[in-house]
């Protein structure tokens, strides 16, 4: 088990910018792309991922301190700290069950493809940790290794189904032909957000209000430009964090840069994916007629859309406000505040880019997420204890990515129920 874990950890330590080119090259060869073309596609995708990560780092390293400043400024004092997804991911990979889950998830995906139970080939191996976290939860709660594997498999199947169901909407809205999102956090939030969004769209007075980047730009001219929207939202976050004038201007320009650069970074990555997707589609059509295949990718690609990024950034202060006023919540949002834009990646397309409907929907979802994260905290604390350093003053830890994730929480409650039986 230790040897397997070392191999898995070694692969994961390469990071997505190295792993993806290798995976894309292999997939390209399988789908009969010429080796030189497959190699160039893999390299282009790797460069695109590096470019996207540069912009994401710019986003997270700016929003994170602003969120921390808001917490300190408003004197928020809650006993469970949101330690962020990296802490929970580290805790997950430290569990012995995590090493087993990598090949299990791959096998489940391949079997589902063979029997035409899914159209999605999940090549986002870095984010397999989401399904592994569910397996680790099942194992910790019940003490049964095989049951933990079963929970991870169920999570994998649901992720595949959701990736299939949402693919047409994702491809149309984001312009990502042949791509879908297979990120566990995004899918978990979508499972609540999509049906809630449909209800929000039926509220009298609200249903006719269409606030998307195009209408904003038409009505407000230059102030509706995505980069200007980013500047305004960034400046507002800095103001709420108590920044001085220089800090407010710097934060505004940074968010404006993120809004401007992200779509261009996504285009670079898509240049590498297009030849693979086209060859895969051609091969499948020659063998199975009109059968489609989607490449399951990281939901970070969704941040290339201004409405998604704007919705995610607006949710940062809203989430902090909810944490203070929500009865039953004991979570201090912190580590995952900067990653909220990834959580909304499937919700915004379901609202056709309507920022108002998306923000209202995400606010309702976040109410549930905070309560679920509170409930999930003992397990996540146990998972990470002795493995990662806890934030100062944290009695327990949780996070919004796993603890506030509807799919993972449901499977956690099933594990609790089974533990009382076995």
């Amino acid at each position: 088990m230790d040897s397997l874990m070392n191999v898995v950890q070694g692969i994961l330590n390469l990071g997505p910018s190295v792993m993806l080119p290798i995976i894309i090259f292999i997939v390209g060869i399988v789908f009969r792309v010429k080796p030189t073309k497959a190699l160039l596609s893999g390299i282009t995708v790797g460069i695109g991922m590096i470019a996207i990560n540069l912009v994401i780092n710019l986003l997270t390293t700016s929003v994170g301190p602003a969120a921390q400043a808001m917490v300190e400024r408003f004197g928020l004092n809650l006993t469970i700290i949101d330690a962020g997804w990296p802490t929970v991911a580290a805790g997950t990979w430290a569990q012995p069950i995590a090493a087993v889950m990598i090949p299990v998830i791959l096998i489940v995906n391949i079997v589902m493809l063979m029997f035409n139970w899914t159209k999605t080939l999940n090549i986002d191996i870095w984010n397999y940790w989401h399904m592994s976290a569910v397996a680790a939860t099942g194992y910790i709660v019940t003490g049964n290794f095989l049951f933990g594997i079963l929970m991870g498999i169920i999570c994998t199947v649901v992720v595949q189904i959701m990736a299939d169901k949402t693919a047409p909407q994702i491809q149309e809205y984001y312009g990502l032909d042949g791509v879908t999102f297979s990120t566990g956090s995004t899918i978990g939030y979508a499972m609540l957000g999509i049906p809630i969004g449909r209800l929000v769209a039926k509220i009298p007075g609200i249903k006719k209000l269409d606030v998307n980047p195009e209408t904003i730009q038409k009505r407000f001219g230059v102030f509706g430009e995505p980069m200007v929207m980013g500047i305004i939202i960034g400046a507002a976050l800095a103001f709420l964090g108590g920044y001085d004038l220089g800090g407010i201007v710097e934060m505004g320009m940074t968010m404006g840069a993120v809004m401007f650069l992200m779509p261009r970074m996504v285009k670079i990555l898509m240049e590498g994916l297009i030849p693979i997707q086209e060859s895969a589609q051609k091969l499948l059509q020659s063998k199975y007629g009109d059968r489609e295949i989607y490449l399951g990718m990281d939901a970070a690609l969704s941040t290339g859309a201004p409405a998604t990024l704007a919705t995610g950034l607006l949710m940062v202060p809203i989430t902090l406000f909810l944490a203070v006023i929500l009865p039953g919540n004991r979570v201090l949002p912190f580590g995952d505040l900067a990653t909220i834009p990834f959580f909304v990646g499937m919700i915004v397309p379901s609202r056709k880019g309507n920022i108002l409907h998306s923000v209202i929907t995400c606010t309702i979802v976040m109410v549930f997420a905070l309560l679920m994260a509170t409930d999930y905290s003992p397990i996540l604390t146990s998972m990470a204890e002795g493995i990662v350093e806890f934030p100062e003053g944290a009695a327990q830890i949780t996070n919004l990515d796993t603890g506030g994730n509807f799919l993972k929480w449901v499977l956690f409650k099933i594990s609790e129920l089974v533990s009382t039986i076995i």
Side-chain angles (χ1 to χ4, degrees):
M1 184 63 74
D2 287 341
S3 299
L4 179 60
M5 193 65 208
N6 288 335
V7 171
V8 170
Q9 202 62 56
I11 294 170
L12 292 170
N13 286 341
L14 294 174
S17 59
V18 176
M19 284 170 54
L20 262 179
I22 296 169
I23 294 166
I24 290 296
F25 176 74
I26 294 170
V27 171
I29 296 299
V30 169
F31 289 124
R32 300 178 186 174
V33 179
K34 290 180 181 178
T36 52
K37 199 171 183 180
L39 178 62
L40 287 173
S41 288
I43 292 171
T44 304
V45 167
I47 291 169
M49 186 53 70
I50 290 170
I52 288 169
N53 283 332
L54 285 172
V55 183
I56 286 174
N57 286 337
L58 184 63
L59 170 69
T60 54
T61 54
S62 299
V63 174
Q68 184 178 3
M70 284 184 227
V71 169
E72 293 172 358
R73 187 182 185 201
F74 296 109
L76 306 186
N77 186 22
L78 295 158
T79 57
I80 302 171
I81 306 297
D82 163 22
W85 71 265
T87 299
V88 175
T92 295
W93 291 125
Q95 306 304 315
I97 201 169
V100 178
M101 280 307 300
I102 297 292
V104 168
I105 294 165
L106 273 170
I107 291 166
V108 170
N109 191 179
I110 291 167
V111 169
M112 290 181 74
L113 281 166
M114 285 172 58
F115 287 95
N116 201 18
W117 296 338
T118 185
K119 297 178 180 179
T120 300
L121 174 62
N122 187 353
I123 61 175
D124 187 21
I125 293 177
W126 173 256
N127 276 313
Y128 279 18
W129 81 264
H130 290 283
M131 289 76 95
S132 297
V134 171
T137 297
Y139 174 50
I140 291 169
V141 170
T142 65
N144 188 305
F145 196 87
L146 290 177
F147 179 79
I149 295 291
L150 176 62
M151 287 293 97
I153 290 172
I154 291 172
C155 184
T156 301
V157 171
V158 174
V159 165
Q160 292 293 138
I161 293 169
M162 280 294 293
D164 283 354
K165 296 289 185 186
T166 55
Q169 212 164 50
I170 286 168
Q171 291 171 20
E172 181 183 356
Y173 182 73
Y174 292 114
L176 303 174
D177 291 338
V179 170
T180 188
F181 299 147
S182 49
T183 309
S185 53
T186 309
I187 283 171
Y189 275 79
M191 290 177 74
L192 272 182
I194 291 174
I196 288 173
R198 288 173 183 155
L199 294 175
V200 167
K202 293 179 181 178
I203 299 173
I206 292 177
K207 65 180 181 180
K208 293 183 179 179
L209 295 176
D210 187 11
V211 183
N212 59 55
E214 291 74 24
T215 57
I216 293 173
Q217 191 171 349
K218 193 178 293 183
R219 180 166 293 184
F220 297 103
V222 69
F223 294 100
E225 289 283 347
M227 71 180 84
V228 179
M229 285 172 55
I231 290 171
I232 293 169
I233 294 171
L237 291 176
F239 175 77
L240 290 171
Y243 284 30
D244 60 21
L245 182 59
I248 291 172
V249 173
E250 184 179 355
M251 179 70 166
M253 285 301 296
T254 300
M255 289 302 103
V258 169
M259 284 279 206
F260 180 81
L261 291 172
M262 189 60 87
R264 287 155 175 80
M265 303 303 102
V266 172
K267 281 181 181 177
I268 294 171
L269 185 141
M270 285 306 299
E271 283 178 25
L273 284 180
I274 287 169
I276 307 297
Q277 197 275 329
E278 286 178 347
S279 292
Q281 208 63 58
K282 192 181 294 182
L283 179 64
L284 286 171
Q285 283 174 354
S286 67
K287 286 194 171 186
Y288 304 105
D290 60 352
R291 186 176 172 187
E292 291 181 289
I293 190 166
Y294 309 134
L295 298 179
M297 295 288 292
D298 193 326
L301 296 180
S302 68
T303 55
T308 301
L309 202 48
T311 299
L313 292 175
L314 289 170
M315 284 305 301
V316 172
I318 291 172
T319 301
L320 285 169
F321 177 70
L322 286 173
V324 174
I325 66 167
L326 183 62
N329 173 60
R330 294 190 292 128
V331 175
L332 176 62
F334 183 65
D336 272 339
L337 285 172
T339 55
I340 291 177
F342 311 131
F343 300 164
V344 306
M346 285 179 170
I347 296 173
V348 175
S350 74
R351 297 298 92 231
K352 298 179 180 178
N354 189 321
I355 296 172
L356 176 64
H357 288 189
S358 298
V359 168
I360 294 171
T361 299
C362 292
T363 300
I364 298 168
V365 171
M366 197 55 72
V367 168
F368 291 103
L370 287 167
L371 295 176
M372 289 186 291
T374 298
D375 186 47
Y376 214 131
S377 59
I379 294 301
L380 296 183
T381 300
S382 171
M383 195 183 293
E385 218 156 19
I387 297 161
V388 294
E389 188 176 339
F390 281 23
E392 187 178 344
Q396 286 185 310
I397 66 161
T398 189
N399 74 339
L400 296 176
D401 189 299
T402 294
N405 182 307
F406 179 69
L407 172 58
K408 295 178 185 177
W409 180 81
V410 167
L411 294 174
F412 160 53
K413 300 315 285 185
I414 291 172
S415 298
E416 280 192 331
L417 180 62
V418 170
S419 72
T420 63
I421 299 171
I422 63 173

